[in-house]
Amino acid sequence: MDTVAAATSGRRWLPWARRQAAAYLAAAGGGDDGWAACAASAVRIVVCFVSMMVTTAAWAVVMLLLLPWPCARIRQGNLYGHVTGRMLMWILGNPIKLEGLENLKTRGIFICNHASPLDIFLVMWLAPTGTVGIAKKEIIWYPLFGQLYVLANHLRIDRSNPAAAIESMKEVARAVNKNNLSLILFPEGTRSKTGRLLPFKKGFVHTALQTRLPVVPMVVTGTHLAWRKNSLRVRPAPLTVKVLPPIRTDRWEEERIDEYVEMVHSLYADSLPDSQKPLEPVATGKKSS
């Protein structure tokens, strides 16, 4: 009887084990790639994490030494981004095609679509020295990285209140002008879950009107396929970063904000592949952050 019971128990356990293994592979994003690919991806992610912790700790010491010099901390933050962002992309091993990098040689408001954590690594790597980032205020709670972000004197805004967000963007513009900086931000305001372009919020236009700096679009493709939402696996999908020519804003008018947002959004929609174009007609974001 014990043998029969054991056999019966085994027959019940095997389907459960198969379901658990399939669920694990799906969570790791490796259901169609096998265990070897998942394991290799896991190793790369661990190496990325450890490497980033090392560079973050090292630059945190530099930032603390530079506390009296805010602008020097911004530039050191850019140097950290150049080293760390490039290192992380090298570890992950995705083929990367870069176009239009000559358009990064001017001061400007650099904007980028956002569909994956890889977008952040690419922006860190490519943003010119003297560029200040802008993020939600909650970034300070991200372990190590958030604290370094604040130490590097990058900017934060409160996105929960539209009126406060507009005032925050005005403060950002004043800081950019006063210190002769550039600015980089994600105009969608959040990460796209599918890779398709989301509506743009108006913050980058408000900042352009205050600073009169050109808007420089950075169009990133493929990152949503390389690192999918809710996946622990980074696939070797090819990535492209195309920097479009600067858009002059010195003649922009306050009354035409929605028109400018729609114009830049349409430019992105035209530049992205079909798989990343917005499904809905081009529309501007309702919030002003």
Side-chain angles (χ1 to χ4, degrees):
M1 293 294 293
D2 290 343
T3 303
V4 173
T8 302
S9 176
R11 285 194 297 271
R12 291 176 179 172
W13 179 84
L14 284 173
W16 177 86
R18 291 191 188 101
R19 288 195 300 270
Q20 293 299 108
Y24 175 81
L25 281 171
D32 56 350
D33 296 312
W35 286 96
C38 288
S41 174
V43 169
R44 289 193 182 97
I45 290 175
V46 170
V47 172
C48 280
F49 179 80
V50 172
S51 301
M52 186 170 70
M53 291 302 99
V54 170
T55 58
T56 300
W59 256 277
V61 174
V62 174
M63 298 300 182
L64 289 171
L65 294 174
L66 292 174
L67 273 179
W69 300 280
C71 287
R73 282 187 278 131
I74 291 173
R75 287 171 170 77
Q76 278 297 317
N78 296 146
L79 180 58
Y80 162 83
H82 297 163
V83 172
T84 304
R86 182 68 186 98
M87 176 185 65
L88 297 180
M89 295 309 305
W90 178 78
I91 292 170
L92 293 173
N94 294 81
I96 303 173
K97 182 179 181 181
L98 303 176
E99 302 179 28
L101 294 187
E102 66 276 7
N103 295 318
L104 295 175
K105 295 180 179 179
T106 181
R107 279 186 68 214
I109 300 170
F110 303 106
I111 61 174
C112 182
N113 56 306
H114 188 24
S116 165
L118 298 181
D119 305 322
I120 299 174
F121 300 162
L122 289 166
V123 162
M124 288 167 56
W125 168 25
L126 297 173
T129 301
T131 301
V132 66
I134 184 167
K136 58 186 179 181
K137 66 177 184 178
E138 292 83 3
I139 195 172
I140 192 173
W141 303 114
Y142 293 9
L144 283 182
F145 182 82
Q147 290 79 57
L148 185 69
Y149 182 92
V150 175
L151 279 173
N153 209 35
H154 289 303
L155 307 170
R156 296 175 295 147
I157 61 170
D158 181 0
R159 299 190 308 184
S160 62
N161 185 323
I166 292 175
E167 187 57 38
S168 295
M169 294 306 294
K170 290 180 180 178
E171 294 177 8
V172 166
R174 288 192 287 268
V176 166
N177 275 339
K178 179 181 178 181
N179 298 296
N180 202 33
L181 300 169
S182 294
L183 178 68
I184 189 154
L185 52 82
F186 296 104
E188 294 161 288
T190 189
R191 174 181 166 186
S192 170
K193 296 179 180 179
T194 63
R196 292 191 180 275
L197 191 67
L198 300 175
F200 284 180
K201 300 188 186 300
K202 304 175 186 179
F204 75 99
V205 176
H206 284 292
T207 307
L209 288 168
Q210 295 287 325
T211 63
R212 296 301 175 181
L213 288 173
V215 172
V216 184
M218 300 173 67
V219 183
V220 178
T221 61
T223 57
H224 69 297
L225 298 175
W227 195 335
R228 298 175 184 172
K229 184 74 172 178
N230 298 323
S231 173
L232 302 177
R233 165 135 162 62
V234 178
R235 292 171 169 80
L239 314 177
T240 299
V241 181
K242 185 175 183 180
V243 185
L244 303 182
I247 302 168
R248 291 183 59 178
T249 67
D250 52 328
R251 296 184 180 179
W252 279 13
E253 301 170 355
E254 190 90 27
E255 298 77 16
R256 300 172 64 188
I257 288 177
D258 288 344
E259 179 183 333
Y260 301 137
V261 175
E262 183 174 341
M263 180 265 292
V264 178
H265 190 273
S266 296
L267 185 62
Y268 266 87
D270 292 341
S271 301
L272 288 167
D274 289 343
S275 62
Q276 290 189 249
K277 292 183 185 298
L279 288 175
E280 301 296 329
V282 173
T284 59
K286 298 300 181 183
K287 295 183 179 180
S288 299
S289 57

